[in-house]
Amino acid sequence: MKLTIGHLYPDLLNLYGDRGNIQCLMKRCQWRGIEAETISFELNDRIDFSGLDIVLLGGGSDREQMIVCEKLKEIQEDFKKYVESNGVVIAICGGYQLLGKYYKTDQGMINGLDLVDMYTEQGDGRLIDNIVLKSELFDMPIVGFENHGGRTCIKENQPLGKVLSGAGNDGVSGYEGVIYKNVIGTYLHGPLLPKNPQLADWLILRALQKKYGAEVELTELDDTQEKEANDYIYKRFVK
Ligand code: GLN
């Protein structure tokens, strides 16, 4: 089995080392004997979504999002088809905001990909904190760090998790992130996946099942250290 990961615009969207998430996905595949390859796309590269199994959109500043958003118009149709046919996506912070219809900032409007029915508007001040979530998808909590000026409204969509500590989508709803088909959007920055191995495996398993059939299962890995790191953060901010 083989997975190809598409990393979109790492030269612009790579805040706080979101690239570490790619390394985590690659390693967790390789440890299981699953071949993994990453293709990084720069702004002017043509993207063939049919050859990708997981797409990562990282975080970026408003300025970088503004640059990227011009390009998104060109890839929107193909990206939408990928998502609607259950393609796997992990979108982080600035990338998460770009999944929606728009991100309205004091400096102007950033049009998004409109892949998920949601939108973001800049609020007063930034939401900067360590954050812990409880997600229905996993028994382990999801832990991470958030730093965003945008407040995201996910409408009727399913959130990634309930906020146990931190601000989340808008600082008031009590929820964080979004799940739509095989797309996960979240404000939690890199290294999100190394600290949350169940989330990494969810992406890998969904991608493998889409490609090779629903009967594919993942072998267990020794996640002692990952669990300890996750538990340390959980206890520090929640208990
Ligand atoms: N520019 C966006 C905001 O401030 C996202 C920032 C980020 O990716 N950390 O809301």
Side-chain angles (χ1 to χ4, degrees):
M1 293 192 290
K2 178 181 176 183
L3 290 182
T4 303
I5 302 164
H7 193 181
L8 264 56
Y9 317 131
D11 46 339
L12 291 163
L13 302 179
N14 187 33
L15 270 185
Y16 303 114
D18 289 331
R19 197 189 300 269
N21 293 316
I22 297 272
Q23 283 161 334
C24 175
L25 290 170
M26 297 277 291
K27 271 287 162 211
R28 294 185 75 79
C29 284
Q30 287 158 2
W31 284 332
R32 295 177 163 111
I34 301 163
E35 219 185 306
E37 177 196 17
T38 297
I39 306 175
S40 296
F41 296 98
E42 292 190 3
L43 221 46
N44 291 319
D45 294 342
R46 209 192 134 262
I47 304 173
D48 177 8
F49 283 91
S50 68
L52 302 178
D53 304 303
I54 301 178
V55 170
L56 182 131
L57 255 182
S61 68
D62 293 1
R63 189 190 70 83
E64 288 154 337
Q65 285 173 286
M66 196 73 93
I67 298 170
V68 167
C69 105
E70 283 308 306
K71 196 70 199 171
L72 299 183
K73 287 181 217 150
E74 291 169 31
I75 64 165
Q76 200 276 341
E77 208 181 309
D78 287 352
F79 206 162
K80 178 95 185 160
K81 276 192 205 136
Y82 173 83
V83 165
E84 289 305 309
S85 60
N86 297 319
V88 176
V89 179
I90 174 78
I92 295 174
C93 203
Y96 167 38
Q97 295 170 338
L98 293 174
L99 292 179
K101 271 200 174 53
Y102 63 83
Y103 169 32
K104 195 168 149 197
T105 76
D106 298 343
Q107 267 65 49
M109 191 68 135
I110 298 173
N111 289 312
L113 284 155
D114 201 10
L115 301 177
V116 182
D117 187 16
M118 53 178 253
Y119 63 88
T120 301
E121 294 183 349
Q122 192 167 357
D124 289 335
R126 300 188 67 78
L127 302 173
I128 308 172
D129 214 340
N130 290 287
I131 176 164
V132 181
L133 316 177
K134 178 69 196 106
S135 175
E136 282 175 18
L137 297 181
F138 315 115
D139 49 23
M140 277 168 72
I142 301 177
V143 302
F145 174 75
E146 61 181 325
N147 179 355
H148 50 108
R151 274 53 167 181
T152 297
C153 172
I154 62 165
K155 300 193 178 176
E156 303 305 315
N157 287 296
Q158 188 188 346
L160 174 59
K162 200 169 165 11
V163 178
L164 302 181
S165 173
N169 280 337
D170 54 10
V172 290
S173 68
Y175 291 98
E176 202 288 324
V178 76
I179 306 169
Y180 172 72
K181 289 181 167 263
N182 283 339
V183 177
I184 288 188
T186 177
Y187 272 117
L188 277 60
H189 270 291
L192 167 68
L193 299 181
K195 280 187 284 193
N196 299 287
Q198 293 184 331
L199 179 46
D201 284 355
W202 187 90
L203 300 167
I204 292 169
L205 184 61
R206 291 291 175 125
L208 288 174
Q209 287 179 335
K210 177 172 185 276
K211 196 166 183 180
Y212 298 103
E215 64 287 349
V216 175
E217 287 176 15
L218 286 183
T219 49
E220 289 275 313
L221 295 176
D222 177 7
D223 285 331
T224 312
Q225 288 184 343
E226 288 83 349
K227 283 182 177 145
E228 276 174 15
N230 180 290
D231 194 49
Y232 176 84
I233 301 289
Y234 177 75
K235 290 198 174 112
R236 190 169 155 206
F237 295 105
V238 181
K239 279 193 179 162

